[in-house]
Amino acid sequence: MSKIVFISTLERTEQQQWMTLLTKLLPDETIVLPEMFSVAEADQVDIAIVANPDPSILQQFENLVWVQSLWAGVEALVPSISQHNQQLEKSKQLQLVRLLDPQMAATMAEAVLAWTLYLHRNMPQYATQQRQKLWQQLPCATAQDTRVTVLGAGELGLASIQALLQQNYTVSCWSRSQKNIAGVHNYCSLQQLPEALANTDILINLLPLTTATKGLLNKPLLANLPSGAKLINFSRGPVVDHPALLELLDSGQISHAVLDVFEQEPLAEASRLWQHPQITVLPHISAPTNMNTAARVVADNITQYRRNQTLPTTVNLGQGY
Ligand code: NAP
């Protein structure tokens, strides 16, 4: 009988919570930690549920068909699975499935709206003014006159765009493939990106980290933003060139940045980003995985696969997302 391995670098208690929940939702399945398998039993494993797994442990399960990530971002898994597949013929290639949870999209949309309002309604400046006991009213454009551009129009981007539209913002987005979203100007391709930025007051990054997006938001590109524009980075730290961002904040080209994600997490104590008056640092909280809803998504994926061998939507390993 086929078995499932749970591979993670999570703390013991969290790992146990996942295992208990998944076992309850999938009573007919055997879900076991890697150390519990004998070599013979390891051959019976066809699905791995993973959270930041050690790639060498994944390699021990030679008959794996697919890997279900408990996170939406899979940039850390793509290289090891692609490398693993190099030795396998096409029909035996390991597939990667990332977490697609509507609750996560709703949570991200809520965060995008909250921090867009924070920037639009000048909250960082008013917090500074209060510390200075300064009574000063700042100009504030209407939502309709505030141009918000969302980079990435996928699971999280699309939900965020809808939340921004409901609040009357003027919304644009940028994606690889053309989108047709009512009320939203869609920019496509690298060529159109400078124009998208030139028409942006608040830029929101929801692009996955891939070889194409690493360092994408660099100085020449961000310099297209109008003077005083604002940035929110909710996807992955390395999409933004942080030294370039600091230069642009210091010059006033960008007036404030809300950063939830960083190259190194937790952010190093010595990082300049902590202290900068025009940066709001968040500890990777914009859309955490919700254990209850995510476990249900994973259980449904596995049930469907057992029923008719249909794989959930898989990651395009070549594109990296
Ligand atoms: P997704 O559904 O895969 O959507 C990605 C979007 O980015 C798509 O619209 C895609 O275009 C676009 N894109 C990718 N590469 C591109 C390129 N080179 N040029 C132009 N557009 C490109 O991903 P998602 O579920 O929305 O998640 C996005 C990211 O959010 C994740 O990868 C993860 O890193 C991050 N995340 C962060 C948190 C947090 O708490 N901070 C939580 C969850 C996820 P197409 O539509 O044309 O393919």
Side-chain angles (χ1 to χ4, degrees):
M1 194 195 142
S2 302
K3 293 183 175 157
I4 300 173
V5 63
F6 187 98
I7 312 173
S8 87
T9 44
L10 298 173
E11 278 178 19
R12 226 182 129 82
T13 323
E14 196 181 353
Q15 179 167 276
Q16 203 45 56
Q17 286 169 340
W18 276 109
M19 294 278 287
T20 306
L21 200 49
L22 288 163
T23 306
K24 200 170 149 199
L25 292 168
L26 294 163
D28 298 333
E29 297 286 340
T30 310
I31 309 172
V32 188
L33 296 173
E35 56 270 26
M36 310 297 276
F37 286 104
S38 66
V39 176
E41 282 174 326
D43 286 348
Q44 296 171 331
V45 173
D46 63 345
I47 303 171
I49 301 173
V50 305
N52 295 342
D54 173 345
S56 69
I57 297 181
L58 214 47
Q59 309 270 349
Q60 293 167 15
F61 297 89
E62 288 186 1
N63 293 328
L64 270 181
V65 177
W66 58 286
V67 174
Q68 168 72 61
S69 169
L70 295 177
W71 312 150
V74 287
E75 69 282 351
L77 280 167
V78 168
S80 57
I81 293 187
S82 302
Q83 200 186 356
H84 173 90
N85 281 344
Q86 275 170 10
Q87 291 118 39
L88 300 172
E89 45 186 274
K90 215 165 170 104
S91 62
K92 294 206 168 147
Q93 303 245 312
L94 185 52
Q95 302 293 322
L96 174 59
V97 175
R98 67 193 190 92
L99 182 68
L100 295 180
D101 182 356
Q103 178 56 54
M104 177 180 277
T107 304
M108 181 58 91
E110 187 180 86
V112 162
L113 187 57
W115 296 99
T116 299
L117 285 163
Y118 167 83
L119 293 174
H120 165 211
R121 296 304 303 260
N122 299 317
M123 292 191 214
Q125 293 93 317
Y126 285 122
T128 307
Q129 287 187 191
Q130 182 175 351
R131 282 192 293 275
Q132 298 166 341
K133 298 186 181 167
L134 178 62
W135 184 275
Q136 185 179 309
Q137 291 158 354
L138 301 169
C140 181
T142 62
Q144 210 170 1
D145 288 338
T146 304
R147 300 162 301 171
V148 183
T149 300
V150 180
L151 303 179
E155 295 297 317
L156 307 184
L158 287 174
S160 302
I161 287 167
Q162 290 308 323
L164 292 164
L165 287 173
Q166 275 170 25
Q167 206 60 35
N168 281 332
Y169 285 107
T170 294
V171 184
S172 299
C173 67
W174 183 72
S175 52
R176 186 194 292 265
S177 58
Q178 192 75 50
K179 309 280 176 220
N180 192 2
I181 310 165
V184 177
H185 186 93
N186 178 220
Y187 295 92
C188 267
S189 81
L190 221 40
Q191 286 77 0
Q192 291 185 5
L193 191 52
E195 189 194 333
L197 266 62
N199 291 304
T200 298
D201 299 308
I202 301 178
L203 182 67
I204 298 170
N205 174 38
L206 283 175
L207 290 167
L209 176 60
T210 66
T211 46
T213 63
K214 190 171 183 189
L216 177 74
L217 298 183
N218 58 17
K219 197 170 169 196
L221 191 69
L222 289 172
N224 289 292
L225 288 165
S227 178
K230 293 149 186 175
L231 170 73
I232 297 176
N233 185 14
F234 279 171
S235 77
R236 287 293 182 262
V239 179
V240 177
D241 176 345
H242 284 133
L245 174 64
L246 284 167
E247 276 184 52
L248 292 163
L249 284 165
D250 290 341
S251 74
Q253 178 82 32
I254 296 180
S255 60
H256 200 92
V258 176
L259 306 176
D260 184 44
V261 283
F262 304 89
E263 185 145 20
Q264 184 194 333
E265 295 182 8
L267 182 60
E269 212 181 317
S271 171
R272 241 194 97 191
L273 301 173
W274 281 115
Q275 302 292 343
H276 201 290
Q278 292 149 263
I279 292 179
T280 299
V281 170
L282 301 173
H284 201 139
I285 45 77
S286 49
T289 295
N290 176 305
M291 202 183 277
N292 290 317
T293 57
R296 245 175 271 134
V297 169
V298 170
D300 287 348
N301 284 349
I302 292 169
T303 306
Q304 183 76 3
Y305 177 71
R306 292 285 187 240
R307 197 172 289 147
N308 55 17
Q309 300 288 294
T310 309
L311 280 172
T313 306
T314 56
V315 170
N316 180 328
L317 293 168
Q319 286 180 346
Y321 71 99

Coordinates of all heavy atoms in Angstrom, one line a residue, residues 232-312:
I232 N 5.7 48.4 -1.4 CA 5.3 47.3 -0.5 C 5.9 46.0 -1.0 O 5.6 45.6 -2.2 CB 3.8 47.1 -0.3 CG1 3.2 48.4 0.3 CG2 3.5 45.9 0.6 CD1 1.6 48.4 0.4
N233 N 6.7 45.3 -0.3 CA 7.2 44.0 -0.7 C 6.7 42.9 0.2 O 7.1 42.8 1.3 CB 8.8 44.0 -0.8 CG 9.3 42.6 -1.4 OD1 8.5 41.9 -2.0 ND2 10.5 42.3 -1.3
F234 N 5.8 42.1 -0.4 CA 5.2 41.0 0.3 C 5.5 39.6 -0.2 O 4.9 38.6 0.2 CB 3.6 41.2 0.4 CG 3.1 42.2 1.4 CD1 1.8 42.6 1.4 CD2 4.0 42.7 2.4 CE1 1.3 43.5 2.4 CE2 3.5 43.6 3.3 CZ 2.2 44.0 3.3
S235 N 6.4 39.6 -1.3 CA 6.6 38.2 -1.8 C 7.9 37.6 -1.3 O 7.9 36.8 -0.3 CB 6.6 38.2 -3.3 OG 7.7 38.8 -3.9
R236 N 9.1 38.0 -1.8 CA 10.3 37.5 -1.3 C 11.4 38.6 -1.4 O 11.4 39.4 -2.3 CB 10.8 36.3 -2.2 CG 10.1 35.0 -2.0 CD 10.3 34.4 -0.6 NE 9.6 33.2 -0.4 CZ 8.4 33.0 0.2 NH1 7.7 34.1 0.6 NH2 7.8 31.8 0.3
G237 N 12.2 38.7 -0.4 CA 13.2 39.8 -0.2 C 14.1 40.0 -1.5 O 14.2 41.1 -1.9
P238 N 14.7 38.9 -2.0 CA 15.7 39.1 -3.1 C 15.1 39.6 -4.4 O 15.8 39.9 -5.3 CB 16.3 37.7 -3.3 CG 16.0 37.0 -2.0 CD 14.7 37.5 -1.5
V239 N 13.8 39.8 -4.5 CA 13.2 40.4 -5.7 C 13.6 41.9 -5.7 O 13.7 42.5 -6.8 CB 11.7 40.2 -5.8 CG1 11.1 40.9 -7.1 CG2 11.3 38.7 -5.8
V240 N 13.8 42.5 -4.5 CA 14.2 43.9 -4.4 C 15.7 44.0 -4.1 O 16.2 43.3 -3.3 CB 13.4 44.5 -3.2 CG1 13.8 46.0 -3.0 CG2 11.9 44.5 -3.5
D241 N 16.3 44.9 -4.8 CA 17.7 45.2 -4.6 C 17.7 46.2 -3.4 O 17.5 47.4 -3.6 CB 18.3 45.8 -5.9 CG 19.8 46.2 -5.7 OD1 20.2 46.3 -4.5 OD2 20.4 46.5 -6.7
H242 N 18.0 45.7 -2.2 CA 17.9 46.6 -1.0 C 18.9 47.7 -1.0 O 18.5 48.8 -0.6 CB 18.0 45.7 0.3 CG 16.7 45.0 0.5 ND1 16.6 43.7 0.9 CD2 15.4 45.4 0.4 CE1 15.3 43.3 1.0 NE2 14.6 44.3 0.7
P243 N 20.2 47.5 -1.4 CA 21.1 48.7 -1.4 C 20.5 49.8 -2.3 O 20.5 51.0 -2.0 CB 22.4 48.1 -1.9 CG 22.4 46.7 -1.5 CD 20.9 46.3 -1.6
A244 N 19.9 49.4 -3.5 CA 19.3 50.4 -4.4 C 18.1 51.0 -3.7 O 18.0 52.3 -3.9 CB 18.9 49.7 -5.7
L245 N 17.3 50.3 -3.0 CA 16.2 50.8 -2.4 C 16.6 51.9 -1.3 O 16.0 53.0 -1.3 CB 15.4 49.7 -1.7 CG 14.2 50.2 -0.8 CD1 13.1 50.9 -1.6 CD2 13.6 49.0 0.0
L246 N 17.7 51.6 -0.6 CA 18.1 52.5 0.4 C 18.6 53.8 -0.2 O 18.3 54.9 0.2 CB 19.3 51.9 1.2 CG 18.9 50.9 2.3 CD1 20.0 50.1 2.8 CD2 18.1 51.5 3.4
E247 N 19.3 53.7 -1.4 CA 19.7 54.9 -2.1 C 18.5 55.8 -2.5 O 18.5 57.0 -2.4 CB 20.5 54.5 -3.3 CG 22.0 54.2 -3.1 CD 22.7 54.0 -4.4 OE1 22.6 54.8 -5.3 OE2 23.3 52.9 -4.5
L248 N 17.5 55.1 -3.0 CA 16.3 55.8 -3.5 C 15.5 56.4 -2.4 O 14.8 57.4 -2.6 CB 15.5 54.9 -4.4 CG 16.2 54.5 -5.8 CD1 15.5 53.3 -6.4 CD2 16.1 55.6 -6.7
L249 N 15.5 55.7 -1.3 CA 14.8 56.3 -0.1 C 15.5 57.5 0.4 O 14.9 58.6 0.7 CB 14.7 55.3 1.0 CG 13.7 54.1 0.9 CD1 14.0 53.0 1.8 CD2 12.3 54.7 1.1
D250 N 16.9 57.4 0.4 CA 17.7 58.6 0.9 C 17.5 59.8 0.0 O 17.6 60.9 0.4 CB 19.1 58.2 1.0 CG 19.4 57.2 2.2 OD1 18.5 57.1 3.1 OD2 20.4 56.5 2.2
S251 N 17.4 59.5 -1.3 CA 17.2 60.6 -2.3 C 15.8 61.2 -2.4 O 15.6 62.2 -3.0 CB 17.7 60.1 -3.7 OG 16.7 59.3 -4.3
G252 N 14.8 60.4 -1.8 CA 13.4 60.9 -1.8 C 12.7 60.4 -3.0 O 11.5 60.6 -3.1
Q253 N 13.3 59.7 -3.9 CA 12.6 59.1 -5.0 C 11.5 58.2 -4.6 O 10.4 58.2 -5.1 CB 13.6 58.3 -5.9 CG 13.0 57.6 -7.1 CD 12.9 58.6 -8.3 OE1 13.7 59.5 -8.4 NE2 11.9 58.4 -9.1
I254 N 11.8 57.4 -3.6 CA 10.8 56.6 -2.9 C 10.7 57.1 -1.5 O 11.6 57.4 -0.8 CB 11.3 55.1 -2.8 CG1 11.4 54.5 -4.3 CG2 10.3 54.3 -2.0 CD1 11.8 53.1 -4.4
S255 N 9.4 57.4 -1.1 CA 9.2 58.1 0.2 C 9.1 57.1 1.4 O 9.4 57.4 2.5 CB 8.0 59.0 0.2 OG 6.9 58.3 -0.1
H256 N 8.6 55.9 1.1 CA 8.5 54.9 2.2 C 8.4 53.5 1.6 O 7.9 53.3 0.5 CB 7.2 55.2 3.1 CG 7.3 54.6 4.4 ND1 7.8 55.2 5.5 CD2 7.0 53.3 4.9 CE1 7.8 54.4 6.6 NE2 7.3 53.2 6.2
A257 N 8.9 52.5 2.3 CA 8.8 51.1 1.9 C 8.3 50.3 3.1 O 8.8 50.4 4.2 CB 10.2 50.6 1.4
V258 N 7.4 49.4 2.8 CA 6.9 48.4 3.8 C 7.5 47.1 3.4 O 7.2 46.6 2.3 CB 5.4 48.3 3.9 CG1 4.9 47.2 4.8 CG2 4.8 49.7 4.3
L259 N 8.4 46.5 4.2 CA 9.1 45.2 3.8 C 8.7 44.1 4.8 O 8.9 44.3 6.0 CB 10.6 45.5 3.8 CG 11.1 46.7 3.0 CD1 12.6 46.8 3.2 CD2 10.7 46.5 1.5
D260 N 8.2 43.1 4.2 CA 7.7 41.9 5.1 C 8.7 40.7 4.9 O 8.6 39.8 5.7 CB 6.3 41.5 4.6 CG 5.7 40.4 5.5 OD1 5.8 40.5 6.7 OD2 5.1 39.5 4.9
V261 N 9.5 40.8 3.9 CA 10.4 39.7 3.5 C 11.8 40.1 3.2 O 12.0 41.2 2.6 CB 9.7 38.9 2.3 CG1 8.5 38.1 2.7 CG2 9.3 39.9 1.2
F262 N 12.8 39.3 3.5 CA 14.2 39.7 3.4 C 15.0 38.5 2.9 O 14.6 37.4 3.1 CB 14.6 40.2 4.8 CG 13.8 41.3 5.3 CD1 12.6 41.0 6.1 CD2 14.0 42.6 5.0 CE1 11.8 42.0 6.6 CE2 13.2 43.6 5.5 CZ 12.1 43.3 6.3
E263 N 16.2 38.8 2.4 CA 17.1 37.8 1.9 C 17.4 36.9 3.1 O 17.4 35.6 3.0 CB 18.3 38.4 1.4 CG 19.3 37.4 0.7 CD 20.0 37.9 -0.5 OE1 20.1 39.2 -0.6 OE2 20.5 37.1 -1.3
Q264 N 17.7 37.5 4.2 CA 18.0 36.6 5.4 C 16.9 36.9 6.4 O 16.6 38.0 6.8 CB 19.4 37.1 6.0 CG 19.8 36.2 7.2 CD 20.9 36.9 8.0 OE1 21.7 37.7 7.4 NE2 21.0 36.6 9.2
E265 N 16.2 35.8 6.9 CA 15.2 35.9 7.9 C 15.5 35.0 9.1 O 15.9 33.9 8.9 CB 13.8 35.6 7.3 CG 13.4 36.6 6.2 CD 12.0 36.3 5.6 OE1 11.3 35.4 6.1 OE2 11.7 37.0 4.6
P266 N 15.4 35.5 10.3 CA 15.0 36.9 10.7 C 16.1 37.9 10.2 O 17.2 37.5 10.0 CB 15.0 36.8 12.2 CG 15.0 35.4 12.6 CD 15.6 34.6 11.5
L267 N 15.6 39.1 10.0 CA 16.5 40.2 9.5 C 17.6 40.4 10.6 O 17.4 40.4 11.8 CB 15.7 41.5 9.4 CG 16.4 42.7 8.9 CD1 17.0 42.5 7.5 CD2 15.4 43.9 8.9
A268 N 18.9 40.4 10.0 CA 20.0 40.5 10.9 C 20.0 41.8 11.8 O 19.5 42.9 11.3 CB 21.3 40.5 10.1
E269 N 20.4 41.7 13.0 CA 20.3 42.9 13.9 C 21.1 44.1 13.4 O 20.7 45.2 13.6 CB 20.9 42.4 15.3 CG 20.3 43.1 16.4 CD 20.9 42.7 17.7 OE1 21.1 41.5 17.9 OE2 21.1 43.6 18.6
A270 N 22.2 43.8 12.6 CA 23.0 44.9 12.1 C 22.4 45.5 10.9 O 23.0 46.5 10.4 CB 24.4 44.3 11.8
S271 N 21.4 45.0 10.3 CA 20.8 45.5 9.1 C 20.4 47.0 9.2 O 19.7 47.4 10.2 CB 19.7 44.7 8.6 OG 19.1 45.3 7.5
R272 N 20.8 47.8 8.2 CA 20.4 49.2 8.2 C 18.8 49.4 8.0 O 18.3 50.4 8.4 CB 21.0 49.9 7.0 CG 22.0 51.0 7.3 CD 22.3 51.8 6.1 NE 21.5 53.0 5.9 CZ 21.4 53.8 4.9 NH1 22.2 53.5 3.8 NH2 20.7 54.8 4.8
L273 N 18.2 48.3 7.5 CA 16.8 48.4 7.2 C 15.9 48.6 8.5 O 14.9 49.3 8.5 CB 16.3 47.2 6.5 CG 17.0 46.8 5.2 CD1 16.5 45.5 4.6 CD2 16.7 47.9 4.1
W274 N 16.4 48.1 9.6 CA 15.7 48.2 10.9 C 15.5 49.7 11.3 O 14.5 50.1 11.8 CB 16.5 47.5 12.0 CG 16.4 46.1 12.2 CD1 17.4 45.2 12.0 CD2 15.3 45.3 12.6 NE1 17.0 43.9 12.3 CE2 15.7 43.9 12.6 CE3 13.9 45.6 12.9 CZ2 14.8 42.9 12.9 CZ3 13.1 44.5 13.2 CH2 13.5 43.2 13.2
Q275 N 16.6 50.4 11.1 CA 16.7 51.8 11.7 C 16.2 52.9 10.7 O 15.9 54.0 11.1 CB 18.2 52.1 11.9 CG 18.9 51.2 12.9 CD 18.3 51.3 14.3 OE1 17.6 52.2 14.6 NE2 18.6 50.2 15.1
H276 N 16.0 52.5 9.4 CA 15.7 53.6 8.5 C 14.3 54.2 8.8 O 13.3 53.5 8.8 CB 15.8 53.0 7.1 CG 16.0 54.1 6.0 ND1 15.0 55.0 5.7 CD2 17.1 54.4 5.3 CE1 15.5 55.9 4.8 NE2 16.7 55.5 4.5
P277 N 14.2 55.5 8.9 CA 13.0 56.2 9.2 C 11.9 56.0 8.2 O 10.7 56.1 8.5 CB 13.3 57.7 9.4 CG 14.6 57.8 8.7 CD 15.3 56.5 8.8
Q278 N 12.3 55.7 6.9 CA 11.3 55.5 5.9 C 11.0 54.1 5.5 O 10.5 53.8 4.5 CB 11.7 56.3 4.6 CG 11.8 57.8 4.7 CD 12.9 58.3 3.9 OE1 14.0 58.6 4.3 NE2 12.6 58.5 2.6
I279 N 11.4 53.2 6.4 CA 11.1 51.8 6.2 C 10.3 51.2 7.4 O 10.6 51.5 8.5 CB 12.4 50.9 6.1 CG1 13.2 51.3 4.8 CG2 12.1 49.4 6.0 CD1 14.5 50.6 4.5
T280 N 9.3 50.5 7.0 CA 8.5 49.7 8.0 C 8.9 48.2 7.9 O 8.7 47.7 6.8 CB 7.0 49.9 7.8 OG1 6.7 51.3 8.0 CG2 6.2 49.1 8.8
V281 N 9.5 47.7 8.9 CA 9.9 46.3 8.8 C 8.8 45.4 9.5 O 8.4 45.6 10.6 CB 11.2 46.1 9.6 CG1 11.6 44.6 9.8 CG2 12.4 46.8 8.9
L282 N 8.4 44.4 8.8 CA 7.4 43.4 9.3 C 8.1 42.0 9.3 O 8.9 41.7 8.4 CB 6.2 43.3 8.4 CG 5.4 44.6 8.2 CD1 4.3 44.5 7.2 CD2 4.8 45.1 9.6
P283 N 7.8 41.1 10.2 CA 8.5 39.8 10.4 C 7.8 38.7 9.6 O 7.4 37.7 10.1 CB 8.4 39.6 11.9 CG 7.2 40.2 12.3 CD 6.9 41.4 11.4
H284 N 7.7 38.9 8.3 CA 7.1 37.9 7.4 C 5.7 37.4 7.8 O 5.5 36.3 8.1 CB 8.0 36.7 7.2 CG 7.8 35.9 6.0 ND1 8.8 35.4 5.2 CD2 6.6 35.5 5.4 CE1 8.3 34.7 4.2 NE2 7.0 34.8 4.2
I285 N 4.8 38.4 7.9 CA 3.5 38.1 8.5 C 2.3 38.4 7.5 O 1.1 38.3 7.9 CB 3.2 38.9 9.8 CG1 3.6 40.3 9.7 CG2 3.9 38.2 11.0 CD1 2.7 41.2 9.0
S286 N 2.6 38.8 6.3 CA 1.5 39.3 5.5 C 0.5 38.2 5.2 O -0.7 38.4 5.2 CB 2.0 39.9 4.2 OG 2.9 39.2 3.5
A287 N 0.9 36.9 4.9 CA 0.0 35.8 4.7 C 0.5 34.5 5.1 O 1.0 33.7 4.3 CB -0.4 35.8 3.2
P288 N 0.6 34.3 6.4 CA 1.1 33.0 6.9 C 0.2 31.8 6.5 O -1.0 32.0 6.3 CB 1.1 33.1 8.4 CG 0.3 34.3 8.7 CD 0.1 35.1 7.5
T289 N 0.7 30.6 6.4 CA -0.1 29.4 6.1 C -1.0 29.2 7.4 O -0.5 29.3 8.5 CB 0.9 28.2 6.0 OG1 1.6 28.4 4.8 CG2 0.1 26.9 5.8
N290 N -2.3 29.0 7.1 CA -3.2 28.7 8.1 C -3.3 27.2 8.2 O -3.7 26.5 7.3 CB -4.6 29.3 7.8 CG -5.7 29.0 8.8 OD1 -5.9 27.8 9.1 ND2 -6.3 30.0 9.4
M291 N -2.9 26.6 9.4 CA -2.8 25.2 9.4 C -4.1 24.5 9.2 O -4.1 23.5 8.4 CB -2.3 24.8 10.8 CG -1.6 23.5 10.9 SD -1.1 23.0 12.5 CE 0.4 23.8 12.7
N292 N -5.2 25.0 9.7 CA -6.5 24.3 9.5 C -7.0 24.3 8.0 O -7.3 23.2 7.5 CB -7.6 25.0 10.4 CG -7.3 24.7 11.8 OD1 -7.0 23.6 12.2 ND2 -7.4 25.7 12.7
T293 N -6.9 25.5 7.4 CA -7.4 25.5 6.0 C -6.4 24.8 5.1 O -6.8 24.1 4.1 CB -7.7 26.9 5.5 OG1 -6.5 27.7 5.7 CG2 -8.8 27.6 6.3
A294 N -5.1 25.0 5.3 CA -4.1 24.4 4.5 C -4.1 22.9 4.6 O -4.0 22.2 3.5 CB -2.7 24.9 4.9
A295 N -4.3 22.3 5.8 CA -4.4 20.9 5.9 C -5.6 20.3 5.1 O -5.5 19.2 4.5 CB -4.5 20.5 7.4
R296 N -6.7 21.1 5.1 CA -7.8 20.6 4.3 C -7.5 20.6 2.8 O -7.9 19.7 2.1 CB -9.0 21.5 4.6 CG -10.1 20.7 5.4 CD -11.3 21.6 5.8 NE -11.1 22.1 7.1 CZ -11.3 23.4 7.4 NH1 -11.7 24.3 6.6 NH2 -11.0 23.8 8.7
V297 N -6.8 21.6 2.4 CA -6.5 21.7 0.9 C -5.6 20.5 0.6 O -5.8 19.8 -0.4 CB -5.7 23.0 0.6 CG1 -5.1 23.0 -0.8 CG2 -6.7 24.2 0.7
V298 N -4.6 20.2 1.4 CA -3.7 19.1 1.2 C -4.4 17.8 1.2 O -4.2 16.9 0.3 CB -2.5 19.1 2.3 CG1 -1.7 17.9 2.2 CG2 -1.7 20.4 2.1
A299 N -5.3 17.6 2.2 CA -6.1 16.4 2.3 C -6.9 16.2 1.0 O -7.0 15.1 0.5 CB -6.9 16.4 3.5
D300 N -7.5 17.3 0.6 CA -8.4 17.2 -0.7 C -7.5 16.8 -1.9 O -7.9 16.0 -2.7 CB -9.1 18.5 -0.9 CG -10.2 18.7 0.0 OD1 -10.6 17.8 0.8 OD2 -10.7 19.9 0.1
N301 N -6.3 17.4 -2.0 CA -5.4 17.0 -3.1 C -5.1 15.5 -3.1 O -5.1 14.9 -4.1 CB -4.1 17.8 -3.0 CG -4.3 19.3 -3.4 OD1 -5.3 19.7 -3.9 ND2 -3.3 20.1 -3.1
I302 N -4.8 15.0 -1.9 CA -4.4 13.6 -1.8 C -5.6 12.7 -2.0 O -5.5 11.7 -2.7 CB -3.7 13.4 -0.4 CG1 -2.4 14.1 -0.3 CG2 -3.6 11.9 -0.1 CD1 -1.8 14.2 1.0
T303 N -6.8 13.1 -1.5 CA -8.0 12.2 -1.7 C -8.3 12.1 -3.2 O -8.5 11.0 -3.7 CB -9.2 12.9 -1.0 OG1 -8.8 13.0 0.4 CG2 -10.4 12.0 -1.1
Q304 N -8.2 13.3 -3.9 CA -8.5 13.3 -5.3 C -7.5 12.4 -6.1 O -7.8 11.7 -7.0 CB -8.3 14.8 -5.8 CG -8.7 15.1 -7.2 CD -10.2 15.0 -7.5 OE1 -10.9 14.9 -6.5 NE2 -10.6 15.1 -8.7
Y305 N -6.2 12.5 -5.7 CA -5.2 11.8 -6.4 C -5.4 10.3 -6.1 O -5.3 9.5 -7.1 CB -3.8 12.2 -5.8 CG -2.7 11.4 -6.4 CD1 -2.3 11.5 -7.7 CD2 -2.0 10.4 -5.6 CE1 -1.3 10.8 -8.3 CE2 -0.9 9.7 -6.2 CZ -0.6 9.9 -7.5 OH 0.4 9.1 -8.1
R306 N -5.7 9.9 -4.9 CA -6.0 8.4 -4.7 C -7.2 7.9 -5.5 O -7.2 6.8 -5.9 CB -6.2 8.2 -3.2 CG -5.0 8.4 -2.3 CD -4.0 7.3 -2.4 NE -2.9 7.5 -1.5 CZ -1.6 7.6 -1.8 NH1 -1.3 7.6 -3.1 NH2 -0.7 7.7 -0.9
R307 N -8.2 8.8 -5.6 CA -9.4 8.4 -6.3 C -9.2 8.2 -7.8 O -9.6 7.2 -8.3 CB -10.5 9.5 -6.1 CG -11.9 9.1 -6.4 CD -12.9 10.2 -6.0 NE -13.0 10.3 -4.6 CZ -13.3 11.5 -4.0 NH1 -13.4 12.6 -4.7 NH2 -13.4 11.6 -2.7
N308 N -8.5 9.1 -8.5 CA -8.4 9.0 -9.9 C -7.0 9.3 -10.5 O -6.9 9.6 -11.7 CB -9.4 9.8 -10.6 CG -9.4 11.3 -10.2 OD1 -8.4 11.7 -9.6 ND2 -10.4 12.0 -10.4
Q309 N -6.0 9.3 -9.6 CA -4.6 9.5 -10.0 C -4.4 10.9 -10.7 O -3.4 11.1 -11.4 CB -4.1 8.5 -11.0 CG -4.2 7.0 -10.5 CD -3.0 6.8 -9.5 OE1 -1.9 6.8 -9.8 NE2 -3.4 6.6 -8.2
T310 N -5.3 11.9 -10.4 CA -5.2 13.2 -10.9 C -4.3 14.0 -10.0 O -4.6 14.2 -8.8 CB -6.5 13.9 -11.1 OG1 -7.4 13.1 -11.8 CG2 -6.4 15.3 -11.8
L311 N -3.2 14.6 -10.6 CA -2.4 15.5 -9.7 C -3.0 16.8 -9.6 O -3.6 17.3 -10.5 CB -1.0 15.6 -10.4 CG 0.0 14.5 -10.3 CD1 1.2 14.7 -11.2 CD2 0.5 14.4 -8.8
P312 N -2.8 17.5 -8.5 CA -3.2 18.9 -8.4 C -2.3 19.7 -9.3 O -1.4 19.2 -9.9 CB -2.9 19.3 -6.9 CG -2.5 18.0 -6.2 CD -2.1 17.0 -7.3

